[in-house]
Amino acid sequence: CDVQPDKAEHAFRWQESVGDMRDAMLGSCSYNGSLIAVGGLSDQAGVYRLLGGRWRQEAARLKGERLWACWSGPLAQVIAVGQGGTIYHHNLEGWHQATLPEEVANATLYSVWGMPDGSAVAVGGGLPGPRDQAVILHWDGESWTRADASRITTKNLRGVWGSAADNYWAVGDDGNIAHFDGTLWTKVCLLYTSPSPRDS
């Protein structure tokens, strides 16, 4: 950790920057010209920021559970999501834990993506119940609400990305892909074509 490589070698070598850290780091995002990594212990959230070439704890140990992903947007906004329905927002005033709908308080949120207007979508799953149903949450800048995921036949969505408020894509277990058109989330059916003999 303390030994710096020669400048000529610097571009070709990975460095460990936090030698005494025991947290699992599971996601990262860029923020205001630097980087943020999120993760934590199994029952505690951890957030680190790259400053001056070294990773430093961004906030005191947060009260929520382990974080899985983060997204950064305009106006110094960061959203981090994780286990136990944990969502943290960061703005110029610091980190704040979000309040979620009670029925998703025990969900694991694996991914989050937002838009320049500050709205966002978080996806995950893991809720107990008789039916496999993913968890999708929408942030409108004021509150998180649960979206209808009944058309998506998986219990876990693992990633989400969007190009506009009416064009989000999410992927999950069992080969599931879902799309949001601004109104509804629907499962996308894949057309699989076997390779021809000459392609193999």
Side-chain angles (χ1 to χ4, degrees):
C1 232
D2 296 325
V3 178
Q4 298 297 321
D6 294 337
K7 290 183 179 179
E9 299 178 359
H10 186 73
F12 306 101
R13 183 179 295 182
W14 288 92
Q15 291 177 258
E16 181 185 5
S17 298
V18 189
D20 60 348
M21 185 172 67
R22 298 294 178 262
D23 288 2
M25 293 289 102
L26 301 169
S28 63
C29 54
S30 61
Y31 165 72
N32 200 23
S34 64
L35 295 174
I36 285 183
V38 299
L41 303 173
S42 60
D43 59 351
Q44 288 185 309
V47 178
Y48 289 82
R49 185 175 174 188
L50 183 63
L51 294 170
R54 292 202 177 265
W55 290 96
R56 304 177 191 277
Q57 195 168 15
E58 170 71 1
R61 182 71 67 180
L62 303 177
K63 295 180 180 178
E65 296 185 38
R66 175 181 284 170
L67 299 168
W68 278 86
C70 64
W71 169 85
S72 61
L75 305 177
Q77 177 189 16
V78 178
I79 302 174
V81 301
Q83 293 174 191
T86 299
I87 297 183
Y88 273 95
H89 291 258
H90 178 274
N91 55 29
L92 295 174
E93 298 176 357
W95 290 92
H96 311 279
Q97 191 166 10
T99 301
L100 299 186
E102 187 174 343
E103 70 269 19
V104 296
N106 294 317
T108 296
L109 301 170
Y110 293 107
S111 185
V112 61
W113 193 268
M115 293 293 131
D117 65 1
S119 63
V121 170
V123 300
L127 290 178
R131 290 172 45 200
D132 285 349
Q133 188 167 325
V135 172
I136 303 173
L137 299 173
H138 285 243
W139 171 252
D140 62 6
E142 298 290 333
S143 61
W144 289 96
T145 55
R146 187 176 185 183
D148 179 9
S150 60
R151 296 171 184 82
I152 306 166
T153 56
T154 182
K155 201 160 190 171
N156 292 296
L157 288 170
R158 305 283 183 169
V160 63
W161 173 88
S163 63
D166 60 356
N167 187 41
Y168 272 97
W169 294 87
V171 295
D173 293 354
D174 306 317
N176 275 277
I177 299 176
H179 181 254
F180 181 65
D181 63 5
T183 304
L184 296 174
W185 281 95
T186 55
K187 181 177 178 179
V188 177
C189 295
L190 299 179
L191 176 64
Y192 175 75
T193 304
S194 299
S196 63
R198 68 175 180 224
D199 295 332
S200 57

